[in-house]
Structures are given as structure tokens and as C-alpha cells.
Amino acid sequence: MINGKTTFLNEVASIPACDKINECVQCGVCSGSCTTAEHWEYPPRKIIAMVRSGMKDEVLNSNSIWYCVSCYLCTARCPRNIKPANIMHALEAIALKEGYKPPTKTTTMYRSFANSIEKNGRIYEFGFMLDYFLKTNPFAALKMLPLAVNLLKHKRMPLLPKSVKGKDQLNKIFHNITTGGSR
Amino acid sequence: MKYYAYYPGCSMEATGAPVEKAIHAIAKPLDIELMELEDWTCCGSSPFSGVDKVKAMAITARVLAQAEKTGLDLVTPCSSCYTILREANELMKEDHKLAWQVHEALVSVGLSYNGTVNIRHIVEVIYNDVGLEALAAKVKRPLTGLKVACYHGCQQVRPDYGFDDSELPNWLDNMAKSLGAEPVNFPLKARCCGSSLVISETGMAIDLIHKLLQNAQDNGAQCIVSTTCPLCHTALDAYQSQVNSQFKTKYNLPVLAISQFIAIALGLDEKAAALDYNVVSAKKLLAPYFSGKASLAKAESAT
């Protein structure tokens, strides 16, 4: 806390699995290991340094964190066990919650993914992809057409969602955890 | 017969069909009974952690609460489900505030979770509970001489839940060997296929898939034997044509999930091995084994 306000660092450290961010020694193993590092404007080590310096807008307006593919190479190798992949996902969640709008389309993809779970109880792959393309660039879906046709042909892309009874219970869990005071 | 609670995960109902159908085909011959959780819901996978971590863990906890009621080990074939289930299980033990938030939400719908579920990947179950010797003893159609690149993927071995080696795993190689095949050197065997972002960062993911296919082919593989993760399998199999159009390549490398590979070696037919579901057909490559000519040729060359 600084002047009664929660710092960016504390906001991140309070998210489950992110409490060890203070123990990072900036060795750079995460950046050196990252599968997609070439795409990051600020690679993982730098992101962690920026979070600790309070550079909230720079971190959350950047595409960098959204390139994390959850391969956990950084996390398996981190000598301080700080779980960089979890920190990147925590930052993504803060960006979405607080209305930041980095240029990446992955923000929309994650929302479509979450909506599919809330609506169907399970990921309904065809509907999730359709929702994503309609919200971003329907023409980009044309590029995916050959793939979709191949999957349809091989009976791997059912066009209708499965009705899952458990979805009502899942939605109650969603509702109750939000009203119960999420972080 | 050993009994397990089974959680297939959402992708197994669609893109993961070949992997899933073959799992059910080999379960009985391997003396394992997979009892699917009733009315299961999504585990949340990694994207939900990028939306809301506490909610994400609550979604995962519903699956764990259901599994706990069975008193059995919980087995999943999807590496993404495996990692997130393990993570939720560990985090709720370490982070008491999280555990309490999730607990209250579960109790409000009449569920509870006490942290007792043992979460396992089906590859690990086959490796440890069935075992390589028993596997080899059940082989009726040895895949002798077939050069395979064994793709373990990322979330099966990482972050690191004591499953194989997190850098250079070899369990799939050992399994392929006990089925008669010859695993080739495959340095990228535990590198990521990028499928979690293949929808929104298609070009980036296709680049990663390309590197994997190239590495397998350059090392002389005739096909890839992949883990049971439906995301890995789809990336390597169904997206191969996208790689070819983006990189002007001509890959035609069949990708068999280890469940399909075991089904073939156990002597099951093409239908049980779900070969029709693969986008890159493996039928031509496997024809000598189905007709029995491969073993004859091998026997002749041995004499």
C-alpha cells in the first residue's frame, strides 16, 4: 500500500499462484526459455520488472503477455519458483477486468472461450470459433474454411452443442463466487 | 481389471475424436475400466485463468468434487485438463483464501471438495499401471521397423508434476519401442505446438507446428506418435495443410495418437483404431502391417 492505494505489484501478488513475484532475481531464464519470446515487445523477465516498478499502463496496454501459450517452460525452469506463466495469465485477467484494450485479438478469443463455458457447460468448439470470428474478422474465417471442412469430413466438428445438465450448477458456482467477493 | 474415474475433457467430443475412440478401444484389452464422470463440465483450461483466476479454479473444482465422490483416481487424456486439474488441486492446498472462496461456492450448490483426488494422465497410467512388459506381451501386430517421432508436448510434462522428464521426456519412446517401433531422435519432442492460441494467433502457432513437423521429418520419422492430448493431435494432424500453404511445404506425415498406435499393435482393426478420423491418412503407411507383409519382410531379412 502506498498512500492508502493498492500498488500494481500488490494487485498482482494477491492473485492465486502469483505471490512469489517479489522473489524474482531477474535472471532471465524465463525470457530465454519462452517459446514465443520473439513476439513479445517486453519479454517475461522485463514484464516482471515493469510490474515491480508500477508500470501498469505500459504492461497492460501491450500485446506481450497475450503471447503466452502456457507451455510452462519458464515455470519448470525458474530457479526461484515464481511461476511466470501464472503471472502472465493474472495480468491478462487484470487487463480484461479493468477495461484495458491492447490491440491483440486474444482478448476476444478468451472471452468467447469463457462465454462458451458459461453458456454450454463445456467448450462447444464450433460455436466458440464462430463467435470469435464474428466478433473479430468474419473474413478471416474464410481462411479457416479448408480446415473446418477437413474436420467436418472426418467427423471431428459437431455443428450443435451438447446439452449438459451440469451447466446450471456451474453457473450458480459462477454467480456465487462473484457475489462472495472475488479478488 | 483396474478402475478409474475418467474425465475426457471438451475437445474429446469434437476434434479429439480419433484419440478418444482409440482410448476406449484399448481400455479393455489393457485391463483398465474408465468410468466417465457423470455430467461433467469444462475444466476451464488455461484461457479461463486469463479471465478470472478464482472463477477458473472454481470451475476446475467442480470436476474435482465430482471425482472425489467416486473414491477413484481421476484420469484424463488431455494434457491441458491434466495441468489445470493438478494446479487447482495444489493451489487450494497452498492458498487458504482461494480454498475458502471456492469451498463456499461449491457448498452453495451442494458440493464439497476435500483435496483427496489423485489426478493422473492416461499416458502415465498406461506406463505405470499397465507397464511396458504387459504392454509388450499383448502385442499381436508388432510395428517392427516403423520409424516414429514421439511427441510428448508441453503440458503433459510441465510445469513438472513428477511425470517423466520436463525437458526431454522418453516415456512415449519407451512405449513405442515395446510395440516394436523404432523411435527416432526428436529434439523438439516436448516443445509446444501453440494450439492454445491457434485461433487468435494462427500464424504464430502454424510456425511452431511447422518446426515440429520439420524436426520429425528431418530425423527420418515416417509418422508422429503423439500424446493423447487432443490439442496436440489436432495441431499436428489437422493443421498440417495450413503449414503446407503457409510455408510452401509438402508434409504428409501421419499423426497417430499413442492410443491409436497401441490399438494397432494390439491387433485391433482400422475402425477400433479410429483411422478414418485422421485428416492425414495413415492407412497407406500401415497397410503392410495390416496385411502382415511387414512382419514377413522382416522375417525374411533376418534369415
Side-chain angles (χ1 to χ4, degrees), chain A residues 69-71 76-77 86 89 93 97 106 109 121-123 125 147 154 156 162 165-166 169 176 178 181 183, chain B residues 10-11 13-15 39-40 42 46 50 62 87 95 101 108 155 158-159 167 196 200 237-238 276-278:
Chain A
V69 280
S70 310
C71 74
R77 291 176 180 173
N86 289 76
H89 290 316
K97 213 170 281 178
T106 301
M109 192 270 280
R122 294 180 192 168
I123 289 293
E125 288 179 333
L147 174 85
H154 292 88
R156 286 163 71 172
K162 208 168 181 174
K165 272 187 283 164
Q169 196 178 54
N176 294 345
T178 316
R183 291 179 211 215
Chain B
C10 308
S11 290
E13 298 189 320
T15 48
D39 212 21
W40 54 269
C42 179
S46 40
R62 181 177 183 267
E87 182 185 276
D95 185 331
Q101 285 174 300
S108 73
Q155 296 189 345
R158 288 190 300 270
E167 296 284 342
S196 70
S200 57
D237 175 44
D276 280 338
Y277 291 80
N278 288 43

Side-chain angles (χ1 to χ4, degrees), chain A residues 26-34 45 73-74 77-79:
Chain A
Q26 290 285 297
C27 69
V29 162
C30 49
S31 295
S33 303
C34 181
R45 180 199 63 78
L73 264 177
C74 56
R77 291 176 180 173
C78 175

Side-chain angles (χ1 to χ4, degrees), chain A residues 68-96:
Chain A
C68 173
V69 280
S70 310
C71 74
Y72 294 100
L73 264 177
C74 56
T75 306
R77 291 176 180 173
C78 175
R80 301 288 285 171
N81 199 20
I82 71 151
K83 304 184 179 171
N86 289 76
I87 291 171
M88 300 310 142
H89 290 316
L91 291 167
E92 291 166 349
I94 295 175
L96 286 185

Side-chain angles (χ1 to χ4, degrees), chain A residues 10 24 32 44-45 52 57 63 73 85 90 99-100 104 106 118 180-181:
Chain A
N10 286 342
C24 169
R45 180 199 63 78
R52 299 206 299 195
D57 290 347
N63 272 354
L73 264 177
Y100 283 84
T104 176
T106 301
E118 295 191 34

Side-chain angles (χ1 to χ4, degrees), chain A residues 14-19 32-36 38-39 63 66-77 83 86 88-94 96-97 104-107 109-111 113-115 117-118 120-126 128-129 132-133 143-147 150-151 153-158 162-170 172-178 180-183, chain B residues 10-18 36-59 62 66 83-84 87 90-91 94-98 101-102 104-106 108-111 154-155 157-160 166-167 190-192 194-202 204 207-208 211 230-231 233-234 237-239 241-242 275-280:
Chain A
S14 75
I15 293 176
C18 301
D19 55 322
S33 303
C34 181
T35 300
T36 60
E38 65 194 83
H39 298 273
N63 272 354
W66 297 93
Y67 288 117
C68 173
V69 280
S70 310
C71 74
Y72 294 100
L73 264 177
C74 56
T75 306
R77 291 176 180 173
K83 304 184 179 171
N86 289 76
M88 300 310 142
H89 290 316
L91 291 167
E92 291 166 349
I94 295 175
L96 286 185
K97 213 170 281 178
T104 176
K105 292 192 184 110
T106 301
T107 45
M109 192 270 280
Y110 277 18
R111 283 211 177 94
F113 186 91
N115 288 344
I117 299 177
E118 295 191 34
N120 306 300
R122 294 180 192 168
I123 289 293
Y124 153 47
E125 288 179 333
F126 181 72
F128 148 56
M129 285 184 228
Y132 165 77
F133 282 114
K143 267 194 184 168
M144 303 295 269
L145 209 59
L147 174 85
N150 263 337
L151 288 170
K153 226 165 54 185
H154 292 88
K155 294 171 271 179
R156 286 163 71 172
M157 188 58 73
K162 208 168 181 174
S163 165
V164 190
K165 272 187 283 164
K167 79 173 179 197
D168 296 334
Q169 196 178 54
L170 193 68
K172 271 184 205 148
I173 292 175
F174 276 144
H175 180 75
N176 294 345
I177 205 151
T178 316
S182 162
R183 291 179 211 215
Chain B
C10 308
S11 290
M12 287 304 190
E13 298 189 320
T15 48
E36 189 165 326
L37 290 180
E38 231 174 273
D39 212 21
W40 54 269
T41 41
C42 179
C43 72
S45 189
S46 40
F48 217 106
S49 293
V51 177
D52 186 311
K53 189 66 180 175
V54 178
K55 266 191 178 185
M57 294 294 96
I59 299 177
R62 181 177 183 267
Q66 280 184 305
T83 289
I84 209 78
E87 182 185 276
E90 284 195 6
L91 269 184
E94 289 166 11
D95 185 331
H96 296 145
K97 185 178 173 192
L98 171 72
Q101 285 174 300
V102 171
E104 289 218 301
L106 287 179
S108 73
V109 295
L111 289 172
C154 51
Q155 296 189 345
V157 292
R158 288 190 300 270
D160 189 358
S166 67
E167 296 284 342
R191 287 312 184 112
C192 182
S195 65
S196 70
L197 293 183
V198 77
I199 308 289
S200 57
E201 295 290 349
T202 312
M204 183 178 89
D207 185 32
L208 296 176
K211 285 177 182 148
L231 306 171
H233 183 268
T234 299
D237 175 44
Y239 280 88
S241 56
Q242 308 256 109
L275 293 186
D276 280 338
Y277 291 80
N278 288 43
V279 172
V280 180

Side-chain angles (χ1 to χ4, degrees), chain B:
Chain B
M1 189 71 82
K2 282 187 177 151
Y3 293 85
Y4 303 89
Y6 184 62
Y7 178 71
C10 308
S11 290
M12 287 304 190
E13 298 189 320
T15 48
V19 189
E20 173 77 347
K21 288 189 187 300
I23 286 173
H24 289 294
I26 62 172
K28 207 175 170 196
L30 296 182
D31 296 322
I32 58 181
E33 177 85 33
L34 301 170
M35 302 166 80
E36 189 165 326
L37 290 180
E38 231 174 273
D39 212 21
W40 54 269
T41 41
C42 179
C43 72
S45 189
S46 40
F48 217 106
S49 293
V51 177
D52 186 311
K53 189 66 180 175
V54 178
K55 266 191 178 185
M57 294 294 96
I59 299 177
T60 319
R62 181 177 183 267
V63 179
L64 293 171
Q66 280 184 305
E68 197 169 56
K69 282 194 232 168
T70 69
L72 299 167
D73 282 3
L74 177 64
V75 175
T76 180
C78 172
S79 301
S80 190
C81 297
Y82 174 70
T83 289
I84 209 78
L85 288 164
R86 296 282 305 232
E87 182 185 276
N89 209 26
E90 284 195 6
L91 269 184
M92 285 191 285
K93 280 174 194 155
E94 289 166 11
D95 185 331
H96 296 145
K97 185 178 173 192
L98 171 72
W100 181 250
Q101 285 174 300
V102 171
H103 173 74
E104 289 218 301
L106 287 179
V107 166
S108 73
V109 295
L111 289 172
S112 68
Y113 181 56
N114 299 310
T116 63
V117 174
N118 189 22
I119 300 143
R120 304 180 64 187
H121 196 292
I122 196 155
V123 171
E124 183 264 321
V125 167
I126 297 172
Y127 197 83
N128 287 326
D129 291 10
V130 176
L132 294 183
E133 272 179 41
L135 196 60
K138 290 175 196 287
V139 171
K140 294 203 176 90
R141 187 186 287 132
L143 293 151
T144 315
L146 194 62
K147 292 194 168 61
V148 298
C150 295
Y151 181 65
H152 294 68
C154 51
Q155 296 189 345
Q156 174 176 304
V157 292
R158 288 190 300 270
D160 189 358
Y161 293 114
F163 182 126
D164 208 339
D165 186 87
S166 67
E167 296 284 342
L168 215 55
N170 60 20
W171 286 9
L172 286 176
D173 296 72
N174 295 343
M175 285 160 88
K177 254 187 249 174
S178 57
L179 304 173
E182 283 177 35
V184 300
N185 183 33
F186 186 26
L188 299 189
K189 57 163 69 162
R191 287 312 184 112
C192 182
C193 67
S195 65
S196 70
L197 293 183
V198 77
I199 308 289
S200 57
E201 295 290 349
T202 312
M204 183 178 89
I206 294 292
D207 185 32
L208 296 176
I209 300 167
H210 174 229
K211 285 177 182 148
L212 298 175
L213 295 171
Q214 190 176 35
N215 195 230
Q217 188 149 303
D218 287 354
N219 281 290
Q222 294 167 282
C223 69
I224 293 176
V225 170
S226 80
T227 175
T228 50
C229 176
L231 306 171
C232 297
H233 183 268
T234 299
L236 292 166
D237 175 44
Y239 280 88
Q240 215 170 111
S241 56
Q242 308 256 109
V243 169
N244 285 337
S245 55
Q246 188 169 322
F247 289 92
K248 310 271 175 281
T249 48
K250 285 180 182 160
Y251 290 108
N252 185 28
L253 209 54
V255 184
L256 294 160
I258 186 72
S259 52
Q260 294 184 290
F261 206 60
I262 293 174
I264 298 158
L266 292 182
L268 303 180
D269 61 16
E270 286 186 1
K271 193 173 172 233
L275 293 186
D276 280 338
Y277 291 80
N278 288 43
V279 172
V280 180
S281 176
K283 287 186 181 177
K284 204 177 155 194
L285 178 70
L286 296 171
Y289 297 94
F290 277 99
S291 67
K293 279 179 188 152
S295 48
L296 281 177
K298 188 78 187 172
E300 275 165 21
S301 69
T303 50

